[in-house]
């Protein structure tokens, strides 16, 4: 019966960590998890267990491990010497948790990594105003018009209209080239 209780407590701890870290449930605290799940465990032992499980979940979630990767990772963790590894029971609880929560954790991580508001659409055109339409004979230059559709998840879009003359278009293009060079330099280093 003690094994069943230990398994339930560990499953509760993993779910509590996920609620706090991935689902942003502010009601879940480390103290609450200790009180509810491990009331008899000394504070230091609970803190060590909590940190170990949180770290393992972070590794699993960051890599978005599939079943084969998860099993290989957990097997390696059970073979680690010293206090850094996990027991077979802990590995089984982590495996069960990840199989049931992988999609939800992944979606939460994706949502947390999105910038808000996000760009939903972009349209542009170049207008050339003729001298006759302006009522003068001065030389007219092209104007680039860009409309950005911005929005937050679950909300209506907002539209922003930008107008650029030739000099501003060239500045934007130069900045985009600078950004591309920065990205290329990072990609080449990794």
């Amino acid at each position: 019966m003690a094994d069943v209780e230990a398994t339930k407590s560990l499953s509760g701890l993993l779910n509590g960590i996920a609620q706090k870290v991935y689902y942003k449930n502010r009601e879940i605290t480390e103290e609450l998890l200790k009180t509810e799940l491990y009331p008899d465990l000394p504070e230091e032992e609970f803190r060590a267990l909590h940190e170990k499980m949180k770290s393992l979940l972070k590794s699993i979630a960051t890599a978005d491990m599939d079943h084969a990767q998860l099993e290989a990772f957990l097997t390696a963790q059970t073979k680690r010497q010293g206090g850094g590894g996990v027991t077979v029971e802990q590995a089984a609880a982590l495996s069960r948790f990840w199989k049931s929560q992988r999609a939800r954790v992944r979606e939460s991580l994706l949502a947390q990594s999105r910038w808000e508001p996000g760009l939903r659409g972009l349209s542009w055109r170049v207008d050339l105003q003729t001298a006759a339409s302006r009522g003068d004979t001065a030389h007219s230059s092209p104007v680039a018009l860009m409309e950005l559709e911005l929005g937050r998840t679950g909300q209506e879009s907002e539209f922003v209209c930008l107008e650029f003359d030739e000099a501003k278009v060239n500045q934007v293009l130069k900045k985009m080239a600078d950004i591309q060079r920065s990205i290329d330099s990072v990609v080449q280093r990794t």
Side-chain angles (χ1 to χ4, degrees):
M1 193 65 174
D3 286 346
V4 172
E5 287 302 315
T7 300
K8 281 184 181 178
S9 293
L10 188 56
S11 291
L13 178 62
L14 293 171
N15 280 305
I17 291 169
Q19 284 292 324
K20 186 169 89 172
V21 175
Y22 301 110
Y23 312 143
K24 302 301 180 195
N25 184 341
R26 297 194 193 315
E27 295 175 12
I28 305 295
T29 63
E30 197 172 318
E31 295 77 28
L32 175 70
L33 294 173
K34 180 179 183 331
T35 304
E36 294 295 318
L37 302 170
Y38 293 94
D40 300 329
L41 195 64
E43 186 70 33
E44 286 303 311
E45 285 182 42
F46 173 78
R47 191 160 280 153
L49 176 64
H50 180 273
E51 287 306 310
K52 182 192 298 185
M53 292 300 124
K54 185 172 152 185
S55 174
L56 290 168
L57 275 181
K58 182 178 179 184
S59 295
I60 293 166
T62 301
D64 190 26
M65 292 184 187
D66 63 22
H67 179 72
Q69 292 168 322
L70 178 66
E71 293 308 314
F73 176 73
L74 293 175
T75 299
Q77 292 298 315
T78 58
K79 293 180 178 179
R80 285 182 68 181
Q81 301 297 318
V86 296
T87 66
V88 173
E89 294 79 15
Q90 289 171 335
L94 281 160
S95 181
R96 278 191 306 277
F97 171 82
W98 188 242
K99 286 174 188 169
S100 69
Q101 295 293 314
R102 178 184 182 192
R104 189 171 173 211
V105 169
R106 183 176 189 278
E107 186 55 40
S108 173
L109 287 172
L110 287 173
Q112 290 173 36
S113 68
R114 288 187 193 113
W115 287 348
E116 292 274 277
L119 179 63
R120 292 182 177 166
L122 178 139
S123 59
W124 63 275
R125 71 175 194 256
V126 176
D127 284 353
L128 184 58
Q129 205 169 26
T130 63
S133 68
R134 289 193 329 217
D136 63 33
T137 58
H139 176 70
S140 63
S141 60
V143 175
L145 298 171
M146 184 182 303
E147 184 179 71
L148 306 174
E149 180 183 359
L150 306 172
R152 296 183 185 281
T153 304
Q155 293 182 357
E156 294 277 326
S157 293
E158 295 178 30
F159 294 88
V160 176
C161 190
L162 305 171
E163 185 175 309
F164 299 94
D165 61 14
E166 188 176 356
K168 289 288 184 195
V169 168
N170 287 331
Q171 285 177 356
V172 169
L173 292 173
K174 183 183 179 315
K175 285 290 183 193
M176 296 300 279
D178 292 345
I179 291 168
Q180 185 64 54
R181 278 192 294 278
S182 294
I183 290 170
D184 291 344
S185 70
V186 169
V187 169
Q188 289 172 357
R189 279 184 279 181
T190 56

